[in-house]
Amino acid sequence: MRFSILKAGTATRATRERRGDFDALFVDLLAQEGQQWDSHDVEQGQFPSSLDGYDGFVITGSPASAYDEEPWVRQLLETVREIHRAGRPLLGICFGLQVVAQALGGKVEPNPAGWEVGLTAITLNEAGRGFSGLQGAPRPDRKSVGE
């Protein structure tokens, strides 16, 4: 199986030093043996030349907004529509999810309280607890290395 990461931004310096940039971070989290993962820096205008050959796509976070008029954001919105028309799996994370919503007719607007950035405790259901990509992830009841 082959997947494409549509890298829409750059992780913070602390994250890059600890886990790598967004593309490396999500490959580490999601990749399984035998899969191929390609990274396309869409923020820099580097889009896949074709959707053919990809079994799924991941759109990363970004400091940009899904309703920005930047050329790369507009091109990403159209790419999401193409992925949707092709019936390919697509995972949007933070900004990526906002782009998916905006591209497919949802409403995306600024948060009146401003940006929300940081850690939030979550409770995993049975499916989440069984997801191999989350094995070893920090839990609220234990500190991660370096804390």
Side-chain angles (χ1 to χ4, degrees):
M1 295 188 83
R2 186 175 176 204
F3 298 92
S4 173
I5 295 179
L6 304 176
K7 185 176 168 286
T10 301
T12 64
R13 184 175 64 194
T15 298
R16 290 192 315 270
E17 289 171 357
R18 189 169 170 208
R19 301 287 309 266
D21 207 346
F22 285 142
D23 47 356
L25 188 142
F26 289 116
V27 167
D28 286 347
L29 179 66
L30 300 171
Q32 297 181 7
E33 190 173 330
Q35 294 176 342
Q36 178 181 337
W37 286 77
D38 299 333
S39 179
H40 298 92
D41 193 339
V42 297
E43 183 183 34
Q44 299 302 313
Q46 300 169 1
F47 286 80
S49 58
S50 171
L51 303 183
D52 295 337
Y54 288 107
D55 297 294
F57 298 83
V58 176
I59 304 173
T60 71
S62 175
S65 297
Y67 44 82
D68 280 351
E69 291 297 321
E70 297 288 332
W72 72 269
V73 173
R74 289 194 311 269
Q75 186 175 355
L76 183 57
L77 292 167
E78 183 53 38
T79 300
V80 166
R81 292 181 196 107
E82 290 175 23
I83 292 168
H84 180 70
R85 284 191 297 268
R88 304 278 168 75
L90 173 61
L91 171 63
I93 299 163
C94 198
F95 164 82
L97 181 57
Q98 294 173 36
V99 166
V100 172
Q102 182 81 3
L104 301 180
K107 182 178 180 181
V108 178
E109 58 187 26
N111 179 352
W115 261 42
E116 290 186 20
V117 178
L119 301 176
T120 300
I122 61 170
T123 302
L124 298 175
N125 62 17
E126 185 177 336
R129 288 189 298 273
F131 178 60
S132 63
L134 293 176
Q135 300 306 310
R139 295 188 329 235
D141 62 337
R142 72 169 190 236
K143 292 190 176 219
S144 15
V145 175
E147 288 188 72

